[in-house]
């Protein structure tokens, strides 16, 4: 099966935990464009790397299965969303958010809402 060559990864604060002075729930606090490396990550899904992020993404469900940001796991309270990039033209799909657990480098099986 062919899979997308690029995704944009977006990190958001969880809406229910945002406090005064922090970005609103619709505002990404960091983003990165990642490209397929041709390798398979430890999760068994294709590996994508770029702009300080390294992710294993399931191309069938567009789910981030593993993510490192600047070589570290995500902190509690951050949500990951991805946007498939077709020909580098821009985001296509941003509704696949996941919440990260500290102590794990992959997102849990429950989508963040």
């Amino acid at each position: 099966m062919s899979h997308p060559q690029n995704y944009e990864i977006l990190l958001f604060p969880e809406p229910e935990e945002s406090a005064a002075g922090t970005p609103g729930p619709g505002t990404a606090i960091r983003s990165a464009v990642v490209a397929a490396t041709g390798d398979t990550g430890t999760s068994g899904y294709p590996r994508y790397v770029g702009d300080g992020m390294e992710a294993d993404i399931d191309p069938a469900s567009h789910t981030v299965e593993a993510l490192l940001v600047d070589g570290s796991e995500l902190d509690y309270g951050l949500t990951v969303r991805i946007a498939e990039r077709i020909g580098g033209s821009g985001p296509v799909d941003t509704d696949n958010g996941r919440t990260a657990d500290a102590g794990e480098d992959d997102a849990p099986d429950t989508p963040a809402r």
Side-chain angles (χ1 to χ4, degrees):
M1 169 171 73
S2 171
H3 56 84
Q5 295 303 301
N6 296 293
Y7 284 101
E8 182 175 14
I9 296 177
L10 306 162
L11 297 179
F12 293 88
E14 286 187 31
E16 58 272 8
E17 293 187 20
S18 63
T22 61
T27 305
I29 58 173
R30 182 161 174 185
S31 67
V33 175
V34 294
T37 64
D39 295 329
T40 300
T42 57
S43 67
Y45 293 98
R47 173 70 45 100
Y48 292 79
V49 175
D51 296 333
M53 293 192 196
E54 187 172 335
D56 296 356
I57 300 174
D58 177 353
S61 67
H62 302 283
T63 301
V64 175
E65 297 293 339
L67 178 67
L68 294 175
V69 178
D70 297 329
S72 299
E73 299 167 349
L74 288 183
D75 292 330
Y76 281 114
L78 293 178
T79 299
V80 177
R81 294 184 185 171
I82 62 169
E84 182 179 339
R85 296 178 61 88
I86 298 175
S89 63
V92 173
D93 181 10
T94 60
D95 294 329
N96 296 302
R98 299 298 242 192
T99 304
D101 282 336
E104 296 181 10
D105 65 350
D106 59 348
D109 294 331
T110 307
R113 300 272 178 222

